[in-house]
Structure formats: structure tokens, C-alpha cells
Amino acid sequence: MNPTGDSAAPESGDPQAGRAGAPDDIAPAPAEIRVRPGEPLAGELEIGGAKNSVLKLLAATTLAEGLSTLRRVPRIADVTTMIELLQSFGCGAWFSDDDVLHVEVPERLEPHASYDLVSRMRASIAVLGPLLARCGEAMVALPGGDDFGSRPIDMHLSALERLGVDIDVSHGYVHARASVLKGEEVSLAWPSVGATENIMMAATAAEGRTVIHNAAREPEIADLAAFLNRMGAEVLGAGSPTITINGGGPLAPVDHTPVPDRIETAVFLAAVGIAGGEITLRGAQPGHLRMLCDKLGEMNLRTSTIKGGLWAMAPQRLRATEIVTLPYPGVATDYQPLLVAMLSLAEGVGLVTENVFANRFRYVGELVRMGADIRVEGRCAIVRGRERLSGAPVRATDIRAGAALVVAGLGAEGETIVRDTHHISRGHEDLVGKLQSLGADVAWVPAG
């Protein structure tokens, strides 16, 4: 079996040590990120493949025996976890280039997703649908991941039951079996991305037609549909509230390039908004960012579509606005910590209403440590902007909050030290190096 990734030794003094089977640019837990204010940002960088798409595409490779290839795959800890999960099923997985990942799927899979792996990452639940489609059974541990509110998988399970799956949840595991999957009409109470994806993948093996009503509309859903259609499935309507899957046909492995990461794009837009300057983000997809760019425009951050990417320029200081998070095409909840960080330094008073995850404001106390004036009342945060924040030691509470604290440090006097960086390494590839390429004063440092 090929190795899962290159593991060259780090350069002397570099805290980003590689480990067997893991991307080299993932820092070990003891490393911290030091941020200092500096000159306005300038330059350009390339946006990688979307984490939230790649993880589900990796799960979908198990639907067909043979060799599938994914390109523009980010070297992040969550990808490493998904690779290890695929290996536990009996698959081979390895990088042949910096961002080209191959998955060799055997004739027979071991459909058991262990607690040790699933507890690291909520997206692991995405293997439930394809394992049922391929094996007719699955035993998957209840998922872990970021802790910012209850995200029950009830919708996943009740929808799969509609397709003829017998489900038992006990001892921390979902035990699912289906001698035959049958197409059915499924109506979701909420446009859940994960539930939509699991139904889509399971339905590729179902007899007849499956229709998902109130389906999630995110770009990553359309990307999964494109992947499945390339494999030989028939998935119609992805990107709309109604998705139809005509199942039962044979599937084959494919070569696919995922959509660019809109959340990574948002990180660098927030960075230039806070630090000032002018940047170009190659590979970014402006069509996936319309609502965000509209809101940034209200904050006086200018963006423009260019050939092959997105251009952005920030004023000396942003201005406050009102933000409401909603499922796509609304402002994504994953943008919210970045937007709150920007509002912390904007002129005026901003209001942020969180409609997706109840505890998404858990990180706010860390921004307050940096001098931000934020008051949380239920699902709303009232943010009174300051001209500067104050550098301080802070802790990343989840993937996106960690990135927000790093970019907030670009607008803080003195030195900001971001700890618990394993969260950042789960979802952001070489965040420090990319910010450095734009002129930011950011560096990995040993834990103090």
C-alpha cells in the first residue's frame, strides 16, 4: 500500500514538523501562532480546494471499486483523518504530488468507522451513505468535531430510514442495514448540508427515484453532484431546493478537481479588510461569494471579479454593518467569526445575528481579551468598533474562530499569540505561510 503522504523532515528551527502519513504543513499541537501588526497587505495567492467539499468527495470515492483521483486537495489535518478512515475500510490512499490525492478502493470494504477516527471530525458521518450504498450496512461512531452547538444527525437517520434502512443507535454507534435501498421522497426540516450529502450518496444505489425536498444549496453540494454524475450516477437539480437522484446504475472511479474553498477566500478578504492593502486571490470563485462580497461592500471593502479569481482592496478603516447568517445563498455561519473580527475594528456599531449554530459565539471572549467591545445577547452580538485592538494571548475554540483570531491580530497593537492551533491546522492549509506571502507579520513559534 502506498503511503498517505510525503513526510520530509522540516527545516531546522521550523516548528511545523511532519509525521508519517500527514501533511508536512500541519503544525504539532505545541506550536503557537504569533501575530504582529505591520504594513498593509499586498500580493496574490492561490486558493485551494474546498475542505467542505474534499472531505465528502473522499467519502464518495468508496462508491466505486478502482482508482479515483482528486486534485487541488488541501494538506490539512481533517483530510488526514478522512484518509485514515478510508484506510480503515481497506482503501489505499496517497499523494502523488503536492495536492493530488489518489484513492484505491477494493472490491470489498470493511464498513466500520471507529470512534477514534470519527470523534476527531464531524464530517466523518458522510461515510454512512456511501457505505450503505456499497455494502448494504455500516457501523459508524457518533461524530465529534467542533463544539459550537448541538448538531444532531437525526435528519440523516430519518431520511435514510425513508430509503429502507434499518437503524439502531446504541453504545455510541449508528448501526445501519439495508438489504435493498429504495428510492423515496425525502423532505428535510432544515436544509442540512450533511443530510443532503448522505441521502445523495446512498440514493445512487437505490432502486428507482429519490427526491430531496428543501435540500441544501451550497456550492459543495453541486460539486458532489458533479462528482457522482462523473461516476455514472444521475443527480439532477443540485444547487436548487429540489434534488432528484435516479439510482441503481453502475458507478466507476473518476478524476475530479474540487471547487475552490470559499471559506479560505473569506479569511484573506478579512485579513486585507483588517490590515488594509490590495490583494488578488487566484482560483477564487466570486459566484460562490456574492452575499459575502455584498456585505463587505457595505463595510467599504471593495472586491471585483477578475479573470481566474477575485481582487480586493481595503480602505484605511472599515465601517460597521448588520449581518445575519443563513443557509446558502445567505451569509454562511463559517464566515461569522471573521466578520465579527472585522466589525471589532470598524467605525460604528455592528449587529450580527447567528441563525445556524446556537453556541457559535463561544470565541467572542477571546476577542474581548484583545480589547474588542462585543456584547452577546442570545443569538445576537453587538459589536462596537475600536480603532485598534490590543495584542494578547488567546485560544482558538474551533477551526474558523482560530483563523479569525489570527487575522484580528493584524489590527492589534503589540503581539498576539494564538494557542490551540490544532483547530486551525484541521481546516486551513499553511495559513501562516500564505499570510506571510502577502506581507503579514505572522509566524509559528514554540509554545510558551
Side-chain angles (χ1 to χ4, degrees):
M1 184 180 293
N2 289 302
T4 60
D6 305 321
S7 54
E11 295 179 6
S12 176
D14 186 349
Q16 301 180 62
R19 70 178 190 272
D24 295 339
D25 57 10
I26 296 175
E32 299 171 347
I33 297 176
R34 185 200 67 213
V35 190
R36 294 169 178 161
E39 297 298 316
L41 303 185
E44 63 178 62
L45 54 81
E46 190 78 18
I47 298 298
K51 163 192 176 287
N52 288 339
S53 190
V54 168
L55 298 176
K56 317 307 173 59
L57 298 175
L58 285 172
T61 63
T62 61
L63 289 166
E65 178 186 354
L67 182 66
S68 283
T69 298
L70 292 179
R71 302 178 185 275
R72 200 166 59 189
V73 175
R75 296 290 196 106
I76 55 176
D78 275 8
V79 166
T80 298
T81 297
M82 187 60 82
I83 287 172
E84 292 176 8
L85 193 54
L86 295 178
Q87 289 178 323
S88 75
F89 301 155
C91 300
W94 66 96
F95 282 95
S96 65
D97 204 345
D98 284 347
D99 61 357
V100 180
L101 179 60
H102 306 279
V103 180
E104 181 73 49
V105 180
E107 181 181 359
R108 298 190 64 178
L109 295 172
E110 175 58 47
H112 178 198
S114 73
Y115 171 79
D116 178 59
L117 292 171
V118 177
S119 63
R120 298 185 206 167
M121 179 182 68
R122 187 167 186 83
S124 302
I125 196 65
V127 302
L128 183 58
L131 287 179
L132 282 165
R134 184 73 192 284
C135 307
E137 62 175 320
M139 186 166 71
V140 180
L142 292 171
D146 286 327
D147 178 20
F148 41 70
S150 175
R151 295 183 289 175
I153 62 169
D154 296 359
M155 275 191 288
H156 300 239
L157 304 185
S158 60
L160 291 171
E161 286 178 327
R162 294 277 295 170
L163 302 186
V165 180
D166 293 322
I167 292 175
D168 174 60
V169 180
S170 59
H171 306 292
Y173 279 83
V174 175
H175 302 258
R177 284 186 173 81
S179 55
V180 177
L181 289 166
K182 295 185 177 181
E184 187 55 87
E185 303 253 343
V186 178
S187 295
L188 298 177
W190 174 266
S192 162
V193 173
T196 300
E197 291 164 336
N198 255 327
I199 300 163
M200 287 169 62
M201 290 186 279
T204 61
E207 295 179 353
R209 185 180 69 171
T210 299
V211 181
I212 309 172
H213 299 287
N214 198 26
R217 299 166 60 186
E218 276 75 1
E220 295 79 16
I221 296 289
D223 197 27
L224 176 60
F227 185 82
L228 295 175
N229 286 335
R230 279 187 172 170
M231 295 180 86
E234 187 176 340
V235 182
L236 309 172
S240 78
T242 303
I243 298 176
T244 300
I245 306 100
N246 294 312
L251 301 181
V254 294
D255 188 313
H256 183 79
T257 301
V259 295
D261 197 318
R262 59 198 172 100
I263 314 300
E264 181 185 34
T265 304
V267 170
F268 297 110
L269 292 174
V272 75
I274 289 172
E278 179 180 347
I279 62 172
T280 299
L281 302 174
R282 301 289 178 189
Q285 175 53 266
H288 297 168
L289 298 153
R290 288 195 183 97
M291 188 66 75
L292 175 65
C293 288
D294 286 349
K295 281 296 170 187
L296 294 178
E298 292 176 14
M299 299 176 74
N300 209 25
L301 176 65
R302 294 170 58 191
T303 60
S304 181
T305 299
I306 59 171
K307 184 178 181 180
L310 183 69
W311 168 90
M313 185 172 72
Q316 187 172 8
R317 190 180 181 192
L318 301 173
R319 61 188 176 209
T321 190
E322 182 176 344
I323 294 161
V324 177
T325 67
L326 290 167
Y328 192 85
V331 175
T333 183
D334 279 351
Y335 301 150
Q336 186 245 89
L338 298 164
L339 291 165
V340 170
M342 296 171 76
L343 289 172
S344 297
L345 289 149
E347 184 177 1
V349 180
L351 177 65
V352 180
T353 303
E354 173 58 47
N355 287 311
V356 181
F357 294 126
N359 296 331
R360 191 93 208 214
F361 290 123
R362 288 179 62 245
Y363 67 90
V364 162
E366 302 303 305
L367 282 175
V368 171
R369 283 178 56 80
M370 297 174 67
D373 185 350
I374 307 171
R375 186 173 80 252
V376 176
E377 297 180 356
R379 288 184 175 268
C380 295
I382 302 161
V383 188
R384 298 181 183 276
R386 296 187 182 280
E387 287 194 21
R388 301 294 284 176
L389 298 180
S390 176
V394 292
R395 294 187 179 278
T397 56
D398 62 69
I399 296 172
R400 308 310 182 184
L405 292 171
V406 172
V407 299
L410 298 175
E413 293 178 349
E415 187 171 273
T416 298
I417 299 293
V418 182
R419 295 170 177 164
D420 289 351
T421 56
H422 61 280
H423 289 295
I424 297 170
S425 297
R426 280 186 53 209
H428 295 282
E429 180 183 36
D430 194 20
L431 176 60
V432 167
K434 290 179 179 180
L435 285 171
Q436 286 175 342
S437 74
L438 299 176
D441 189 348
V442 184
W444 287 107
V445 295

